[in-house]
Amino acid sequence: MKILLIEDEPDLRSTLLNFLEKEKFAVYPVENVFDAEDELLVYQFDLILLDITLPDGSGLDLLPIIRKSQDNAGVLIVSAKNSIDDKVNGLDLGADDYITKPFHLAELNSRIRALIRRKVYDNKEVLSFNEISIDTVGKSVQINDKPFELTSKEYSLLLYLITNKERILTKEDIADHLWGDSAGYFENYDFIYAHIKNLRKKIQAAGGNDYLKTVHGIGYKYTAE
Amino acid sequence: MNLIQYTNRNFIISTLVVLPFVCVGLFFSIKHFVEDEIDEKLRVDELRAVTAIKNSEDLPNLSPVFEVKEVSGPAKQILIREVYVYDPIEKEDELFRELSCVEEINGKYYSIEVRDSMLETKDFLIAVISVVVVLMMLLLILSYLLNRRLSSKLWLTFNNNLKELNKFSVVDQKELVLEKSSVSEFESLNKALISLTNQINDDYKALKEFTENASHEIQTPLAVIMNTTEQAIQESKDSESAKALYKIYQSAKKLSILNEKLLLLAKIENRQFKNVELVDFSILVKEKISQLQELYEYLNIEVKYSSNDSFEVEMDKELAEILITNLISNAFKHNVDKGEIDVQLLPEKLIITNSTDQKVHSNELFKRFVHGGGKKSTGIGLSIVDTICRFSGLKSEISGKEKYFFITISKIQN
């Protein structure tokens, strides 16, 4: 999987580069519109991570060039501007998704995976983790090939855990993913324990293993270890 | 009262005050001159009488205007006075000005009385005064009309420019265009206004850019801190350092939420939310509550909603959503275990009640960074509520009773 990473902030670029390479992506980092244009004209990418505010122009100006030069690249806008106008503009100009800084790496990972599933695998990929498999189109889960029921929040929690398997996910991270802006309704993030407990119970009742480990004081980790 | 009315009123009042004095003054001065004239005539008549007696003509007698009698003496100085004398023609007592004296002519004494009727003088005076009053009234009306016409013409440019100025909004970032005026005071006012509004526009633009830049500049390093610590937590070998990293991560997260809220406040105060439409609060509140159903089931909080009427407000849709989110969020955050939230929609009023164990129940909570004791709260949620209300023609009030906390949102009555 080839990702073009367009980000002008060197620290953030190297963090993202480091993370994405660990996730086994081939990453091409560039820092401005000019270099991005060069890469776009030479290579085909599966995904483009696009920062809007760049030193030599707006990332939005690259969207028409991406449309012309790329056959099937997903575009994920990464912006510090949490404004509806920017979001709508970006999506209108052909971006596929929009994520606001600062974000959780796991959240970025799950957005990237979702985009790749849609764009590259045409939604035909079935996600699986040992005996658990997820059909992301039908939004259904099977354990040992037997379907079982989850609420939409539990489904999205399981998908998030499996997408980010072998990774410590903080309570904040999970809460933000499940509830988005509504995560702010809570005095603290302990409420996600209720989601976790219900999910565990259901998976075990359906004959699945409990892969979810508690990382004390921090969060959770989905691991086969 | 506008300036034209003000000047006209003053003009009329002062004219009406001065007019009686003018009339009185005029009356006495004309009377004085007329009496002088009459006295002179009487003296001439008396001289004529003396001349006539000297030439020993018949004693002229034409009562009541001319009476000459031979008397025993002695000679008397000329005396002029006003007297009532019977006029046989008019057949009544009439006011006359009378010159009387006793002159010694050819060794004999004669009493001479010459009179002139004051009747004509009175008529004359009345006529003169009336003419003056009428003339002055005419002048008054004419100058009033002229003043009004001229003023409204002079002020037309000013009034048009005032309309333009009222339409001026810093959010539009449009330059103020004013009509040129031939009156130098107005023209210098225009110049001052144009330079003032240009300055405001520039400052506002700079402030807006600063706000956006601040957002970008702060969020990016925060993203670096959060993502680096997240990654370091993954790679840390022992749980102690992982927890230390997690603390950094949590603080960065809190800072980022705080930054976002402060930026939101700045944006509201800079009036950057302009998509004003008719927002139905009953629909918004219902949507929000059903979205959060799973949440309050987990939190063991009972949520009641009752609606008697629609509550429609002309405001920015996004702000309305933020307002409802913050209100309900506040009710959740400061609630108690097995607590309750009651959302009541009355005509033109929204009341949110929640059970709480916090003691502070005053409008103080609308101030930034003031919180009722919740450890994790930023102290900005209610400040956002209040700011949105202030910029959307709404009013927010906090009250409390025992273990309950109330927030009321209502329209400001005009």
Side-chain angles (χ1 to χ4, degrees):
Chain A
M1 290 294 128
K2 269 163 58 176
I3 294 183
L4 178 63
L5 169 63
I6 310 168
E7 169 62 58
D8 62 322
E9 172 66 35
D11 292 332
L12 191 59
R13 195 170 58 242
S14 74
T15 313
L16 291 177
L17 180 63
N18 179 13
F19 169 73
L20 293 171
E21 281 179 340
K22 285 214 168 83
E23 291 289 325
K24 310 280 187 278
F25 291 109
V27 187
Y28 293 71
V30 293
E31 58 189 277
N32 53 40
V33 172
F34 186 79
D35 292 348
E37 279 175 0
D38 282 356
E39 296 287 337
L40 284 168
L41 294 175
V42 178
Y43 301 106
Q44 289 293 317
F45 294 95
D46 297 303
L47 190 102
I48 294 154
L49 283 181
L50 182 59
D51 186 7
I52 289 190
T53 326
L54 294 167
D56 57 346
S58 165
L60 293 178
D61 299 340
L62 278 170
L63 286 168
I65 299 163
I66 293 171
R67 218 166 32 212
K68 262 185 245 158
S69 64
Q70 301 294 307
D71 295 332
N72 194 31
V75 178
L76 174 54
I77 291 178
V78 179
S79 171
K81 289 183 190 171
N82 185 16
S83 86
I84 286 188
D85 284 352
D86 270 359
K87 210 173 277 190
V88 169
N89 268 340
L91 297 181
D92 277 355
L93 287 168
D96 298 289
D97 203 354
Y98 188 101
I99 189 168
T100 311
K101 285 179 197 172
F103 46 79
H104 302 285
L105 289 172
E107 180 65 37
L108 179 70
N109 187 32
S110 102
R111 303 276 189 108
I112 290 174
R113 300 284 173 185
L115 252 183
I116 287 176
R117 270 202 303 277
R118 208 173 88 202
K119 286 274 182 178
V120 180
Y121 296 114
D122 203 14
N123 280 327
K124 283 181 187 122
E125 185 199 35
V126 173
L127 266 180
S128 61
F129 189 85
N130 293 351
E131 71 273 22
I132 303 168
S133 57
I134 299 180
D135 169 16
T136 52
V137 179
K139 297 200 168 186
S140 62
V141 184
Q142 291 189 322
I143 291 185
N144 296 321
D145 300 325
K146 271 182 286 177
F148 84 118
E149 283 294 312
L150 288 175
T151 67
S152 75
K153 284 275 185 281
E154 287 157 0
Y155 166 81
S156 112
L157 175 60
L158 184 63
L159 180 61
Y160 196 59
L161 291 169
I162 290 180
T163 310
N164 293 296
K165 60 192 176 215
E166 304 299 337
R167 208 184 147 72
I168 298 169
L169 298 174
T170 62
K171 285 180 277 184
E172 285 84 350
D173 190 342
I174 294 171
D176 281 350
H177 179 74
L178 290 183
W179 287 98
D181 286 339
S182 308
Y185 284 99
F186 307 98
E187 176 83 359
N188 59 47
Y189 294 96
D190 293 338
F191 71 94
I192 59 153
Y193 178 67
H195 290 292
I196 300 273
K197 199 172 72 180
N198 287 350
L199 182 64
R200 261 186 183 142
K201 248 193 266 173
K202 284 190 181 173
I203 289 176
Q204 282 172 326
N209 288 311
D210 183 17
Y211 298 111
L212 193 59
K213 303 280 178 302
T214 304
V215 182
H216 186 68
I218 298 176
Y220 301 91
K221 189 176 185 176
Y222 210 70
T223 173
E225 276 169 24
Chain B
M1 196 189 306
N2 66 31
L3 192 66
I4 302 164
Q5 284 169 333
Y6 192 79
T7 46
N8 265 338
R9 205 181 72 147
N10 273 319
F11 177 68
I12 290 168
I13 287 176
S14 48
T15 310
L16 289 179
V17 168
V18 168
L19 193 61
F21 290 106
V22 170
C23 287
V24 170
L26 202 66
F27 175 84
F28 283 107
S29 57
I30 290 177
K31 191 166 175 265
H32 175 75
F33 288 126
V34 169
E35 279 170 4
D36 257 15
E37 277 304 303
I38 291 174
D39 291 354
E40 211 176 304
K41 182 178 167 268
L42 290 177
R43 279 178 220 277
V44 171
D45 284 348
E46 190 249 356
L47 278 178
R48 277 205 191 103
V50 172
T51 317
I53 294 166
K54 269 184 187 161
N55 295 341
S56 65
E57 289 171 19
D58 287 340
L59 294 183
N61 232 333
L62 204 64
S63 179
V65 292
F66 219 90
E67 281 179 60
V68 181
K69 275 183 279 186
E70 204 181 323
V71 289
S72 52
K76 249 180 12 190
Q77 285 287 309
I78 286 175
L79 174 76
I80 295 174
R81 55 176 185 166
E82 273 166 25
V83 287
Y84 282 95
V85 179
Y86 183 77
D87 184 347
I89 296 167
E90 296 273 343
K91 292 193 173 76
E92 60 182 351
D93 283 347
E94 289 279 357
L95 185 65
F96 283 88
R97 201 163 174 84
E98 179 194 82
L99 180 149
S100 61
C101 63
V102 177
E103 296 263 6
E104 189 194 348
I105 304 165
N106 301 333
K108 284 175 187 167
Y109 294 95
Y110 294 91
S111 143
I112 303 169
E113 286 174 343
V114 196
R115 298 191 188 95
D116 198 6
S117 172
M118 291 295 284
L119 201 65
E120 289 147 36
T121 318
K122 214 168 95 193
D123 290 345
F124 174 68
L125 259 175
I126 290 168
V128 168
I129 300 288
S130 318
V131 166
V132 167
V133 169
V134 167
L135 268 178
M136 279 192 81
M137 282 307 209
L138 274 176
L139 197 70
L140 193 71
I141 291 165
L142 188 73
S143 69
Y144 172 77
L145 291 175
L146 198 71
N147 216 354
R148 224 171 64 151
R149 227 182 89 90
L150 194 69
S151 297
S152 58
K153 222 167 132 188
L154 279 176
W155 286 94
L156 186 68
T157 329
F158 178 83
N159 285 330
N160 287 344
N161 285 344
L162 196 64
K163 266 185 221 148
E164 278 301 307
L165 197 61
N166 274 326
K167 275 192 270 169
F168 176 78
S169 161
V170 74
V171 180
D172 298 340
Q173 286 287 306
K174 271 188 217 147
E175 204 179 318
L176 184 67
V177 181
L178 298 175
E179 275 177 42
K180 274 198 179 303
S181 170
S182 48
V183 182
S184 65
E185 283 91 340
F186 290 164
E187 192 53 29
S188 57
L189 180 69
N190 284 357
K191 273 184 191 151
L193 281 175
I194 286 171
S195 90
L196 184 71
T197 49
N198 283 347
Q199 184 64 40
I200 291 172
N201 271 339
D202 289 349
D203 288 354
Y204 178 78
K205 212 172 142 204
L207 187 69
K208 222 174 110 172
E209 279 168 5
F210 171 78
T211 309
E212 280 174 16
N213 290 342
S215 157
H216 182 70
E217 295 305 323
I218 294 172
Q219 295 297 56
T220 304
L222 278 175
V224 174
I225 297 173
M226 278 176 65
N227 294 346
T228 312
T229 46
E230 263 183 322
Q231 205 52 19
I233 288 171
Q234 309 301 327
E235 286 151 19
S236 72
K237 297 281 182 281
D238 62 306
S239 74
E240 280 313 304
S241 57
K243 273 183 197 164
L245 287 166
Y246 181 57
K247 267 187 194 154
I248 299 176
Y249 165 85
Q250 277 182 311
S251 300
K253 170 84 186 156
K254 249 189 243 171
L255 207 55
S256 136
I257 292 171
L258 185 65
N259 182 47
E260 234 170 79
K261 287 183 175 175
L262 288 174
L263 279 170
L264 175 66
L265 277 175
K267 273 186 175 179
I268 298 168
E269 280 166 0
N270 288 343
R271 297 178 192 276
Q272 287 179 39
F273 292 92
K274 295 183 294 182
N275 300 321
V276 175
E277 53 184 285
L278 201 61
V279 178
D280 189 343
F281 271 44
S282 64
I283 295 174
L284 262 187
V285 171
K286 239 180 274 172
E287 269 177 13
K288 207 79 220 173
I289 290 178
S290 72
Q291 268 173 32
L292 295 171
Q293 193 180 347
E294 245 180 298
L295 183 76
Y296 51 79
E297 280 168 5
Y298 281 129
L299 292 174
N300 240 335
I301 286 172
E302 192 192 346
V303 177
K304 281 185 279 186
Y305 170 69
S306 61
S307 159
N308 292 343
D309 214 327
S310 66
F311 181 18
E312 288 179 328
V313 183
E314 288 262 351
M315 67 183 292
D316 183 276
K317 184 87 188 286
E318 200 184 336
L319 279 188
E321 280 171 15
I322 297 171
L323 177 68
I324 299 295
T325 302
N326 273 283
L327 283 170
I328 297 181
S329 165
N330 187 72
F332 272 114
K333 268 188 188 167
H334 305 295
N335 223 310
V336 292
D337 191 38
K338 295 199 176 93
E340 52 189 303
I341 294 174
D342 183 17
V343 183
Q344 271 178 288
L345 207 73
L346 303 170
E348 312 281 280
K349 209 180 237 182
L350 173 70
I351 305 176
I352 297 182
T353 312
N354 64 275
S355 49
T356 185
D357 52 4
Q358 292 182 13
K359 302 282 182 290
V360 186
H361 302 302
S362 72
N363 289 340
E364 275 293 293
L365 290 174
F366 285 135
K367 287 185 186 163
R368 282 175 208 189
F369 303 117
V370 173
H371 33 76
K375 284 180 198 110
K376 295 279 164 72
S377 93
T378 50
I380 291 188
L382 287 182
S383 171
I384 291 173
V385 166
D386 190 45
T387 309
I388 293 176
C389 286
R390 272 194 289 120
F391 283 82
S392 309
L394 295 170
K395 194 170 65 179
S396 54
E397 278 166 300
I398 289 176
S399 56
K401 199 176 158 195
E402 285 157 26
K403 291 191 154 67
Y404 289 95
F405 179 85
F406 306 88
I407 295 188
T408 308
I409 306 292
S410 55
K411 271 189 197 174
I412 291 173
Q413 302 298 328
N414 291 322

